[in-house]
């Protein structure tokens, strides 16, 4: 089962190293990881997706809590969160295929960032599942490059971590 | 007040009441040692032969005194030589602050001479590491490092100062604040936010639930773990055991947490545990583990461990709960505090029949009467001749198990042994640290010929500082514990475990300016130890024993706890 863990950490050198080091040392697998500053520049938020049983997530949470640079750890409720990921996708595009690509883009709400005689660069922010299907739809046109950020997520409602 | 940055470092150590430091100087840490020269009346520095020895000594000092140990080393190889010592302290939750210096800022990251990323290397074997690039942060970092090392579940912390940070022209603002007034370290937010610098407060309902569970139990068993020793919760544990009126099994790290000579004590539990302890774990209907982490050497097979029992885990570290063995109930908190609360609410219990069942399995040690010296004869001689409160430091392997099975440890800090990490070569360093920290106690170092060879150069430290540490080598001419496994499990294929080689340990001791004795029977052992104790000097007793003596009992790793391979 996939679970989303949100971690607030001190924005200091080596913190990310400490967290990923902990995952590898304890043999926990990271499915995706995204880091960025919060409203307070001294604090960063790390969103980690792990794919594993409840018992392991419990251990991950406890071990993260022991790190001195970690301020707060919370596992988000899976059916009550907003999770989004950004993808930039470069695909082969000719005069023949460009219109078909545009149609799929408009269905998904993807944006065209760049265009060249032989390619298009598209941008889409959505749930990871929607990004997967968009990627599948683009595959027949021959994908040149895919970059994904990893999921960031918050709990729905007024509550905060 | 403006002071030199190195002066601030020394003053910060004095804030923490540090009066002893173990270490070894070098290029990048020169500035710190230069300042130490000014402080030599206040901070006593013990120069070891090797940084690993210094690390073990600081660890042994911490374990035996209950204070935080401090160890200095230079960059590069000096720092990496510490790592085995750091990991040893980490696995056994021993509070030590390691201070290293790194190359100067302009040389950082350039693969400069003696440069290594020690904060990166030490990350998985410390509670925290700090790379200090700004001299102004020195007081905060040191205060935080000591606070982190000593509070909650104790453990090692490493601080790496860049050389330019310690330069003589670096002046910083500093005021002396005694550690008691500064444990909160409010200047550092991460501590203020998450790492409450006190033990987690035990939940009152959790205590009541355990009291109810005890009321329903017919066959309770208590395990005394390392947490009782680190938390110095021996008195509270004693009261609890008496009130519960139940057998007490003791883990390797728990030695000294509960008196081994007490009638309720059933001895060690686990791989080389006593029959009484292991059967009790298997038969009990309530198992209360205090400050123990159910390692693979204790629980052996987590799926079948204490399968008839409800398991209750009391630990200061929340992440230990349900890590190795799934529990039915737990209380997170400092052992001393949790046991105090339990003792207040628990009424006197009685479990006469259950006690009889288990305590009748206890066997008195029988010391063989024979001409060839045996491990038990060596240990019994030591037990009879040294004062009861003597500190015992061990290395790792057969002699370690024999020592812990044979001696009865009566108070926390009396036994110093590398339990979690199993570090060969730990003992002599630890014994040096213990003797420095406890000058009025006799310190015995038991070791094997394999272990002793690993760090025997620390004999020069024993000699130089005139530390009367008595080293007893259980010399069986082989790597005994590994050979035992080869004997029992690998069809007597003794691959690379025969140590038929030098040095002559008596001559080695003499070369270091110490007395050496070779003993081959009990009378010689008695004479040598008597002479050693009378000399008031460090010495080495080379006790020659049989190659094939084994540690009994033994349960193989991963097996059911009563599935004894050897009785």
């Amino acid at each position: 089962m996939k679970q989303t863990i949100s971690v607030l950490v001190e924005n200091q050198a080596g913190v990310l190293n400490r967290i990923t080091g902990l995952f590898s040392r304890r043999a926990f697998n990271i499915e995706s990881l995204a880091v960025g500053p919060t409203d307070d520049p001294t604090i960063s938020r790390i969103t980690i997706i792990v794919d594993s049983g409840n018992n392991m997530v419990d251990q991950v949470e406890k071990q993260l809590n022991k790190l001195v640079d970690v301020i707060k750890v919370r596992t988000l409720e899976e059916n009550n969160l907003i999770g989004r990921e950004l993808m930039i996708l470069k695909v082969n595009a000719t005069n023949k295929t460009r219109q078909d690509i545009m149609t799929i883009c408009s269905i998904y709400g993807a944006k065209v960032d760049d265009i060249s005689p032989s390619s298009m660069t598209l941008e889409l922010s959505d749930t990871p599942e929607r990004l997967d299907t968009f990627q599948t739809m683009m595959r027949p046109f021959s994908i040149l490059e895919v970059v994904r950020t990893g999921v960031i997520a918050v709990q729905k409602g007024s509550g905060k971590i | 007040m403006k002071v030199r940055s190195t002066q601030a470092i020394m003053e910060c150590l004095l804030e923490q009441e540090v009066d002893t430091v173990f270490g070894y100087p070098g290029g990048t840490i020169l500035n710190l040692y230069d300042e130490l020269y000014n402080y030599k009346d206040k901070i006593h520095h013990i120069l070891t032969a090797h940084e690993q020895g210094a690390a073990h000594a600081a660890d042994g000092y911490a374990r035996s005194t209950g204070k935080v140990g401090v160890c200095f080393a230079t960059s590069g190889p000096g720092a990496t030589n510490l790592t085995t010592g750091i990991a040893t302290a980490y696995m056994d939750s021993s509070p030590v602050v390691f201070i290293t210096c790194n190359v100067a800022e302009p040389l950082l990251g350039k693969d400069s001479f003696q440069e290594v990323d020690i904060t990166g290397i030490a990350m998985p074997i410390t509670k925290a590491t700090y790379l200090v690039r700004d001299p102004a942060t020195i007081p905060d970092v040191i205060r935080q490092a000591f606070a982190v090392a000593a509070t909650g579940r104790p453990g090692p912390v490493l601080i790496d100062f860049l050389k330019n940070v310690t330069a003589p022209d670096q002046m910083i603002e500093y005021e002396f604040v005694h550690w008691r007034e500064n444990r909160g370290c409010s200047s550092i937010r991460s501590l203020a936010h998450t790492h409450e610098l006190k033990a987690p407060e035990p939940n009152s309902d959790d205590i009541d639930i355990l009291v109810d569970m005890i009321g329903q139990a017919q066959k309770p068993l208590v395990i005394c773990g390392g947490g009782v020793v680190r938390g110095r919760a021996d008195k509270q544990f004693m009261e609890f055991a008496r009130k519960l009126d139940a057998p007490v099994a003791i883990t390797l790290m728990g030695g000294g947490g509960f008196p081994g000579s007490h009638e309720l004590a059933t001895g060690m539990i686990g791989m080389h545990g006593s029959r009484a302890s292991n059967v009790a774990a298997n038969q009990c209907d309530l198992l209360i583990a205090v400050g123990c982490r159910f390692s693979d050497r204790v629980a052996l097979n987590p799926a079948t461990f204490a399968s008839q029992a409800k398991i209750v885990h009391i630990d200061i570290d929340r992440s230990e709960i349900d890590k190795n063995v799934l529990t039915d109930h737990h209380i997170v908190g400092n052992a001393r505090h949790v046991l105090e609360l339990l003792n207040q609410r628990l009424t006197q219990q009685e479990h006469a029949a259950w006690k009889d069942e288990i305590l009748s399995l206890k066997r008195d040690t029988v010391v063989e009467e024979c001409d060839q010296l045996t491990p038990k004869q060596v240990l019994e001689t030591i037990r009879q001749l040294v004062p009861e409160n003597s500190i015992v430091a061990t290395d790792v392997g057969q002699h370690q198990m024999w020592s812990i099975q044979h001696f009865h440890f009566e108070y926390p800090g009396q036994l110093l042994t590398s339990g979690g990490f199993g570090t060969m070569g730990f003992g002599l360093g630890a014994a040096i640290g213990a003797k420095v920290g406890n000058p009025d106690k006799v310190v015995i170092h038991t070791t094997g010929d394999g272990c002793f060879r690993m760090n025997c150069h620390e004999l020069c430290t024993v000699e130089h500082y005139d530390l009367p540490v008595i080293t007893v080598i259980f010399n069986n001419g082989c790597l005994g514990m590994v050979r035992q496994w080869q004997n029992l499990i690998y069809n007597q294929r003794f691959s690379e475990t025969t140590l038929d080689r030098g040095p002559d340990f008596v001559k080695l001791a003499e070369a270091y300016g110490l007395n050496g004795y070779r003993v081959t029977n009990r009378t010689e052992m008695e004479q040598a130890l008597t002479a050693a104790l009378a000399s008031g000097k460090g010495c080495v007793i080379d006790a020659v024993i049989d190659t094939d003596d084994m540690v009994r009992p033994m349960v193989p790793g991963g097996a059911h706890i009563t599935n004894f391979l050897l009785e």
Side-chain angles (χ1 to χ4, degrees):
Chain A
M1 189 178 70
K2 282 190 188 167
Q3 304 213 49
T4 311
I5 303 171
S6 194
V7 190
L8 292 179
V9 299
E10 296 282 327
N11 187 4
Q12 274 170 6
V15 174
L16 188 60
N17 193 355
R18 225 175 271 279
I19 293 195
T20 52
L22 182 129
F23 274 76
S24 65
R25 180 160 57 95
R26 301 269 173 194
F28 304 144
N29 274 327
I30 298 179
E31 178 121 343
S32 111
L33 178 137
V35 196
T38 60
D39 199 28
D40 176 346
T42 66
I43 296 178
S44 294
R45 186 190 294 265
I46 303 181
T47 310
I48 305 167
I49 313 283
V50 293
D51 190 1
S52 63
N54 278 332
N55 200 16
M56 202 201 83
V57 172
D58 192 41
Q59 257 298 308
V60 171
E61 221 180 282
K62 287 172 183 169
Q63 294 292 348
L64 284 171
N65 260 320
K66 277 169 72 171
L67 297 178
V68 170
D69 302 304
V70 168
I71 297 165
K72 241 176 203 182
V73 183
R74 185 74 53 80
T75 306
L76 303 179
E77 296 161 35
E78 214 49 36
N79 49 11
N80 192 26
L81 61 80
I82 302 163
R84 291 290 179 272
E85 186 174 6
L86 172 66
M87 172 163 73
I88 296 176
L89 183 145
K90 196 179 279 184
V91 65
N92 264 328
T94 60
N95 288 341
K96 274 192 199 155
T97 58
R98 200 167 289 126
Q99 201 49 53
D100 290 347
I101 292 172
M102 289 297 292
T103 311
I104 297 169
C105 282
S106 66
I107 293 170
Y108 280 88
K111 211 173 100 190
V112 180
D113 285 336
D114 185 38
I115 192 159
S116 81
S118 61
S119 72
M120 289 172 83
T121 304
L122 315 170
E123 172 194 326
L124 176 61
S125 153
D126 213 318
T127 63
E129 294 74 24
R130 292 256 303 170
L131 296 191
D132 288 344
T133 55
F134 181 72
Q135 212 172 316
T136 310
M137 294 306 291
M138 285 297 146
R139 215 161 270 144
F141 303 103
S142 178
I143 295 171
L144 297 169
E145 225 174 3
V146 176
V147 187
R148 293 172 68 154
T149 56
V151 180
I152 54 169
V154 289
Q155 203 77 65
K156 286 183 185 168
S158 60
K160 68 181 189 77
I161 292 182
Chain B
M1 187 172 64
K2 284 271 184 194
V3 299
R4 282 187 305 280
S5 61
T6 46
Q7 213 176 335
I9 294 173
M10 295 302 152
E11 290 293 329
C12 283
L13 294 180
L14 294 177
E15 283 180 7
Q16 306 290 334
E17 296 176 10
V18 171
D19 53 15
T20 307
V21 169
F22 303 86
Y24 207 95
T28 57
I29 200 168
L30 267 166
N31 292 327
L32 209 61
Y33 273 87
D34 191 57
E35 191 68 61
L36 187 64
Y37 202 68
N38 299 330
Y39 280 80
K40 61 183 172 191
D41 296 337
K42 290 178 181 163
I43 299 176
H44 181 42
H45 182 272
I46 305 283
L47 177 66
T48 55
H50 188 286
E51 287 90 350
Q52 187 185 343
H56 292 324
D59 185 353
Y61 178 88
R63 292 181 198 224
S64 61
T65 61
K67 295 194 274 189
V68 178
V70 182
C71 181
F72 286 177
T74 192
S75 62
T80 54
N81 279 345
L82 294 177
T83 49
T84 301
I86 301 174
T88 306
Y90 185 68
M91 287 290 264
D92 290 344
S93 309
S94 174
V96 184
V97 171
F98 292 92
I99 294 179
T100 55
C101 287
N102 213 326
V103 298
E105 185 85 45
L107 295 171
L108 196 67
K110 307 263 167 70
D111 298 326
S112 310
F113 178 65
Q114 292 194 329
E115 182 189 357
V116 79
D117 173 21
I118 192 61
T119 49
I121 290 171
M123 210 174 266
I125 49 171
T126 48
K127 281 185 82 177
T129 59
Y130 303 88
L131 178 67
V132 182
R133 303 171 79 153
D134 175 4
T137 62
I138 285 173
D140 271 352
V141 166
I142 296 182
R143 288 164 189 164
Q144 178 171 358
F146 273 86
V148 170
T151 53
R153 178 180 181 171
V157 173
L158 182 131
I159 311 172
D160 195 24
F161 294 106
L162 297 192
K163 188 172 183 182
N164 54 294
V165 166
T166 64
D169 59 350
Q170 290 283 0
M171 304 298 282
I172 66 162
E173 205 50 56
Y174 171 78
E175 291 303 330
F176 187 97
V177 190
H178 191 270
W179 70 267
R180 280 180 215 283
E181 293 148 38
N182 200 44
R183 253 317 183 234
C185 272
S186 52
S187 58
I188 295 167
R189 185 181 41 200
S190 58
L191 277 185
H193 276 204
T194 52
H195 293 265
E196 301 166 59
L197 291 174
K198 53 183 175 123
E201 190 59 27
N203 182 317
S204 177
D205 293 343
D206 285 346
I207 306 267
D208 289 336
I209 292 171
L210 178 53
V211 171
D212 282 349
M213 290 172 89
I214 290 171
Q216 285 161 23
Q218 308 295 317
K219 303 173 172 183
L221 170 72
V222 203
I223 297 182
C224 172
V228 179
V229 174
R230 285 291 171 275
R232 298 295 194 259
D234 48 323
K235 289 189 181 63
Q236 293 73 9
F237 190 92
M238 170 64 84
E239 186 185 342
F240 178 64
R242 278 201 188 125
K243 272 193 162 171
L244 187 62
D245 193 38
V248 177
I250 304 169
T251 69
L252 185 81
M253 295 312 299
F258 185 74
S261 56
H262 196 276
E263 54 150 354
L264 289 174
T266 59
M268 194 156 59
I269 183 170
M271 183 173 278
H272 296 295
S274 67
R275 173 160 273 277
S277 293
N278 286 11
V279 167
N282 195 42
Q283 301 284 328
C284 64
D285 63 358
L286 176 68
L287 184 142
I288 304 170
V290 187
C292 107
R293 60 191 173 84
F294 300 108
S295 90
D296 54 306
R297 288 298 192 262
V298 167
L300 295 164
N301 179 355
T304 64
F305 180 72
S307 51
Q308 303 189 45
K310 289 214 181 332
I311 298 179
V312 180
H313 195 179
I314 298 172
D315 206 284
I316 196 165
D317 182 354
R318 191 176 294 278
S319 73
E320 285 301 340
I321 311 293
D322 294 337
K323 187 179 84 175
N324 293 337
V325 164
L326 289 179
T327 57
D328 296 278
H329 181 54
H330 64 262
I331 303 172
V332 176
N334 165 320
R336 189 195 291 211
H337 191 33
V338 172
L339 291 173
E340 266 168 12
L341 293 174
L342 265 174
N343 289 337
Q344 283 166 17
R345 300 183 200 184
L346 189 65
T347 53
Q348 182 63 44
Q349 307 287 306
E350 207 189 312
H351 301 286
W354 162 242
K355 263 188 352 188
D356 278 353
E357 184 183 338
I358 294 305
L359 299 180
S360 64
L361 296 171
K362 280 170 76 168
R363 292 280 169 271
D364 287 335
T365 312
V366 182
V367 180
E368 310 86 346
E369 294 291 337
C370 57
D371 294 338
Q372 162 75 39
L373 191 61
T374 67
K376 277 184 195 154
Q377 289 179 356
V378 175
L379 291 162
E380 186 58 22
T381 309
I382 299 173
R383 206 178 63 79
Q384 286 174 357
L385 293 184
V386 303
E388 237 174 56
N389 70 348
S390 300
I391 293 175
V392 176
T394 80
D395 272 298
V396 169
Q398 285 187 318
H399 73 273
Q400 177 189 28
M401 294 302 139
W402 286 324
S403 302
I404 293 166
Q405 288 172 338
H406 196 89
F407 292 132
H408 288 154
F409 301 103
E410 306 293 319
Y411 64 89
Q414 189 179 12
L415 165 67
L416 312 175
T417 193
S418 171
F421 208 50
T423 310
M424 288 175 72
F426 168 77
L428 186 52
I432 288 168
K435 188 66 203 175
V436 170
N438 304 267
D440 52 344
K441 283 186 186 142
V442 172
V443 176
I444 303 287
H445 164 221
T446 62
T447 184
D449 48 323
C451 286
F452 188 57
R453 227 178 246 110
M454 287 202 176
N455 261 342
C456 58
H457 46 245
E458 294 304 340
L459 285 180
C460 74
T461 316
V462 170
E463 192 278 330
H464 179 81
Y465 293 97
D466 200 11
L467 303 168
V469 170
I470 299 173
T471 292
V472 180
I473 307 172
F474 289 70
N475 188 347
N476 52 7
C478 68
L479 215 44
M481 186 59 95
V482 184
R483 185 182 167 95
Q484 175 167 344
W485 284 53
Q486 289 173 333
N487 222 332
L488 297 169
I489 303 165
Y490 288 84
N491 302 315
Q492 285 97 45
R493 288 157 57 87
F494 299 120
S495 178
E496 300 298 323
T497 50
T498 309
L499 300 176
D500 48 355
R501 60 198 68 189
D504 178 326
F505 291 119
V506 174
K507 285 187 181 152
L508 182 78
E510 286 166 0
Y512 279 108
L514 300 170
N515 292 328
Y517 310 87
R518 177 164 301 108
V519 298
T520 55
N521 60 45
R522 193 165 175 176
T523 316
E524 286 174 6
M525 177 65 203
E526 283 168 5
Q527 288 165 350
L529 188 57
T530 309
L533 287 165
S535 74
K537 272 182 70 177
C539 77
V540 175
I541 299 175
D542 183 15
V544 181
I545 57 165
D546 187 67
T547 309
D548 281 314
D549 269 328
M550 295 214 208
V551 178
R552 295 162 188 273
M554 175 182 179
V555 181
H560 186 266
I561 194 157
T562 56
N563 198 357
F564 288 97
L565 187 64
L566 283 181
E567 286 277 359

